[in-house]
Amino acid sequence: MTQKQPAARIRRSPEQVRAAVHQAVIDLLSEPEGEDLTIPAIAQRSGVNHTSLYRRWGSLDALLADTVTTRLERDSPLNDTGSLRGDLTAWAEASARSMHTPEGRALVRAVILSMPSSTQDQTERSQHFLRRMHSIEQIRERATARGEDPPPLEQILDQLIAPFYIRAIFGIGLPATGYPQLLVDRLLGTADRRARA
Amino acid sequence: MTQKQPAARIRRSPEQVRAAVHQAVIDLLSEPEGEDLTIPAIAQRSGVNHTSLYRRWGSLDALLADTVTTRLERDSPLNDTGSLRGDLTAWAEASARSMHTPEGRALVRAVILSMPSSTQDQTERSQHFLRRMHSIEQIRERATARGEDPPPLEQILDQLIAPFYIRAIFGIGLPATGYPQLLVDRLLGTADRRARA
């Protein structure tokens, strides 16, 4: 197969190709001029022939989803801090750091773009959502194993995850200090009050 | 100018054309198959020649932004309920109703897609954001005029608006009952606690 892009002349391992393609997706989404994210644009940027992209991923949506899953896993090393509050704060601090980088904001855009459209099959959407929430579910499971009583996933979604997404969408910066703690305090504070009610 | 689409043969007023174009944008974003939102697709759907679309709106982004602004204003009739809590609850109830319709979810997608990319000029992004937050700012101003002490806009964003957006993004349904009140209780409850601290 003829490769047109110069970068493709260098022989790369499948994992190097995969990493280059993921990076091309993130780069295209980080650009000021907002170049359209298309298979040909990703081929051009990564130096991987577009027929190879279709063969490997099948569609732009699948490629986007693979990029998101891989990056979210790479960016979320979840050490056990010993408490639910500590784990959630560590998650929020990592998210806050990520949001200060163009790559982090591009990743949020990728997550949003990779969601199945709202009228699609509910099962598919739920699976997609749960894959994205994997690290939060780990935190909840560890808390339960410790005998703590973590808030429901949907409450964590509304109070801890949603603020990061909405600020990425609207390009609103995070408060310089204390934001991760503030969100966790609101989340667990509310959880405590509801438990007592 | 030759109009190719059958619907365009009917002479429409400028306002009818504008409404038809906005509806085409929302329809395209509501579709299960997620047809690409492009000027040619909008031209086809609305029966308005694509050169007319470019002449009137200049770009897809501008057309998307105009659709969003017009629909948000139409969908948010903000009667004064006499209190901050009442106004916020009415806003949240209207948002909850809107999220149960494909059109409402399409509108959220349109808002997200119409945001300037995250690396663009900060002033432009802020103006864009404030136009989207117009109805919330009205509620805050009325509260201040009454002698109430409304939470800062960013806190309302994080605690009241963000949950609706994140659920639309991930296709997570809202709890059947009490959700608007729950969000407002969390928002104003937290505000009270912070004021006492």
Side-chain angles (χ1 to χ4, degrees):
Chain A
M1 188 170 299
T2 317
Q3 298 277 5
K4 280 182 193 153
Q5 291 78 19
R9 295 205 190 103
I10 304 156
R11 184 160 294 280
R12 294 180 286 192
S13 73
E15 271 321 294
Q16 284 173 322
V17 168
R18 191 159 168 260
V21 170
H22 289 168
Q23 189 61 47
V25 170
I26 295 296
D27 286 350
L28 286 168
L29 288 172
S30 317
E31 303 219 317
E33 288 309 308
E35 193 178 337
D36 279 355
L37 189 74
T38 60
I39 291 277
I42 296 164
Q44 170 79 29
R45 180 65 62 108
S46 63
V48 177
N49 194 291
H50 75 274
T51 55
S52 307
L53 296 181
Y54 280 113
R55 199 170 49 231
R56 180 150 185 173
W57 281 280
S59 71
L60 178 59
D61 281 355
L63 167 49
L64 206 49
D66 186 46
T67 304
V68 166
T69 306
T70 307
R71 287 297 177 112
L72 287 180
E73 280 168 9
R74 193 193 74 174
D75 294 349
S76 312
L78 285 168
N79 295 324
D80 189 339
T81 66
S83 73
L84 172 64
R85 182 176 290 272
D87 283 1
L88 290 173
T89 304
W91 184 93
E93 282 168 351
S95 298
R97 277 193 303 275
S98 166
M99 289 294 166
H100 282 293
T101 69
E103 282 214 358
R105 291 187 293 265
L107 187 58
V108 169
R109 279 181 66 83
V111 172
I112 293 168
L113 291 170
S114 71
M115 285 309 298
S117 74
S118 54
T119 43
Q120 251 175 318
D121 179 49
Q122 178 63 43
T123 311
E124 190 185 338
R125 279 193 283 144
S126 300
Q127 285 173 353
H128 204 96
F129 170 68
L130 289 173
R131 280 199 301 274
R132 299 287 163 277
M133 295 299 118
H134 179 65
S135 51
I136 293 290
E137 279 295 35
Q138 269 190 297
I139 290 175
R140 292 186 69 245
E141 281 161 19
R142 279 206 300 245
T144 305
R146 280 186 211 106
E148 294 179 291
D149 184 21
L153 180 59
E154 286 199 13
Q155 191 181 346
I156 299 177
L157 180 74
D158 283 347
Q159 295 191 269
L160 190 63
I161 303 169
F164 288 109
Y165 273 81
I166 196 95
R167 284 167 180 267
I169 290 168
F170 285 115
I172 304 297
L174 310 179
T177 57
Y179 189 63
Q181 290 76 9
L182 173 67
L183 293 180
V184 173
D185 285 349
R186 280 180 189 160
L187 171 65
L188 298 183
T190 306
D192 292 343
R193 268 191 296 141
R194 286 178 76 202
R196 282 200 305 271
Chain B
M1 188 171 297
T2 318
Q3 298 276 5
K4 280 181 195 156
Q5 290 78 18
R9 296 206 188 102
I10 303 157
R11 184 159 294 278
R12 294 181 287 191
S13 72
E15 272 319 295
Q16 284 174 323
V17 168
R18 191 158 168 260
V21 170
H22 290 168
Q23 189 60 46
V25 170
I26 295 296
D27 286 351
L28 286 168
L29 288 171
S30 317
E31 303 218 317
E33 289 310 308
E35 193 180 336
D36 280 352
L37 189 72
T38 60
I39 290 277
I42 297 164
Q44 170 79 30
R45 181 65 62 107
S46 62
V48 177
N49 194 293
H50 75 275
T51 55
S52 307
L53 296 181
Y54 281 113
R55 201 170 48 230
R56 178 151 185 173
W57 280 280
S59 71
L60 178 60
D61 282 355
L63 167 49
L64 206 48
D66 185 47
T67 304
V68 166
T69 306
T70 307
R71 287 297 176 112
L72 287 180
E73 282 168 8
R74 193 193 73 175
D75 293 350
S76 312
L78 285 168
N79 295 322
D80 188 340
T81 65
S83 74
L84 173 65
R85 182 175 290 271
D87 282 2
L88 290 172
T89 304
W91 183 93
E93 282 169 350
S95 298
R97 276 194 303 274
S98 166
M99 289 295 168
H100 281 294
T101 69
E103 281 214 357
R105 291 188 294 266
L107 186 59
V108 170
R109 278 182 65 84
V111 172
I112 293 168
L113 291 170
S114 72
M115 284 310 298
S117 75
S118 55
T119 44
Q120 252 176 316
D121 178 50
Q122 179 62 46
T123 311
E124 191 185 339
R125 278 193 284 143
S126 300
Q127 286 173 354
H128 205 94
F129 169 66
L130 289 173
R131 279 198 300 274
R132 298 289 163 278
M133 294 300 119
H134 179 65
S135 51
I136 293 292
E137 279 296 34
Q138 268 190 296
I139 290 176
R140 293 186 68 247
E141 281 161 20
R142 279 206 299 246
T144 305
R146 278 186 212 107
E148 294 179 291
D149 184 22
L153 180 58
E154 286 198 13
Q155 191 181 347
I156 299 177
L157 180 74
D158 284 346
Q159 294 190 271
L160 189 62
I161 304 170
F164 287 108
Y165 272 81
I166 197 94
R167 285 168 180 266
I169 290 168
F170 285 116
I172 305 298
L174 310 180
T177 57
Y179 190 63
Q181 289 77 10
L182 173 67
L183 293 181
V184 172
D185 285 349
R186 281 180 188 159
L187 170 66
L188 297 183
T190 306
D192 293 345
R193 268 191 297 142
R194 287 177 76 203
R196 282 200 306 270

